[in-house]
Amino acid sequence: MLKYRLLQPDILRALAEGGHGGTVLIADGNYPLATGSRDGARRVYLNLAPDMLRVTEILEVLVDAVPFEAAQVMQPDGGAEPAIFAEFRELLPGLALQPLERFAFYDAARGPNLTLAIATGERRLYANLLLTIGVVQLGPENGPASAAR
């Protein structure tokens, strides 16, 4: 048994295969995962029931496992920012959220670097997040140091 916080084997494999520059989609319960993500990406369905699991719960575990260098969000047509964006910023300190209009977000999620698409039971609207995997920084002893998140 792993003593690591992230235990889901398909997610671990996809993150390892993706590497620097790979992208990860965490999608809300309304997101069309089958048509709104790249065909070759590993798809993991964690949408057991409404609000199980939530996007922010999955993000909490992922930021503990890999560094992220960019974050894109789906911007509502009306322009008003969803409250969940503040939670994303809290969980991704130092990263600016890059808003994309809905169809541009779908196009980005179908891009060639998408390595992992995770479906959630999240009911909050526009709770979709597209993350770019960063690099692990080496510490003074040439071992992994705190990674930029």
Side-chain angles (χ1 to χ4, degrees), residues 3 5 11 27 34 38 42 49 55-56 60 64 72 74 82 92 94 96 101 104 110 117 122:
K3 290 177 63 178
R5 190 167 180 203
I11 293 175
R38 184 177 72 82
R42 185 170 306 275
V55 169
T56 49
E60 284 177 29
D64 188 48
Q72 297 173 307
M74 184 185 288
L92 297 164
E101 74 81 30
R110 290 185 199 105
E122 180 73 63

Side-chain angles (χ1 to χ4, degrees), residues 48-126:
L48 180 63
D51 286 327
M52 286 182 66
L53 293 164
R54 297 180 113 192
V55 169
T56 49
E57 292 171 317
I58 293 166
L59 180 58
E60 284 177 29
V61 175
L62 291 183
V63 297
D64 188 48
V66 285
F68 293 109
E69 64 184 24
Q72 297 173 307
V73 291
M74 184 185 288
Q75 181 68 40
D77 292 337
E81 184 174 287
I84 195 168
F85 286 13
E87 292 180 53
F88 291 162
R89 286 188 187 95
E90 188 176 311
L91 292 167
L92 297 164
L95 280 186
L97 299 180
Q98 301 166 5
L100 296 174
E101 74 81 30
R102 184 172 63 141
F103 294 105
F105 188 93
Y106 290 150
D107 288 343
R110 290 185 199 105
N113 291 329
L114 187 73
T115 188
L116 173 63
I118 303 171
T120 72
E122 180 73 63
R123 291 190 293 176
R124 290 178 283 183
L125 299 178
Y126 293 95

Side-chain angles (χ1 to χ4, degrees), residues 15-16 18-24 62-63 65-71 92 95 115 131-137 146-149:
L15 292 173
H20 181 227
T23 57
V24 174
L62 291 183
V63 297
V66 285
F68 293 109
E69 64 184 24
L92 297 164
L95 280 186
T115 188
L131 301 162
T132 302
I133 300 171
V135 296
V136 175
Q137 302 294 323
S146 61
R149 291 185 194 168

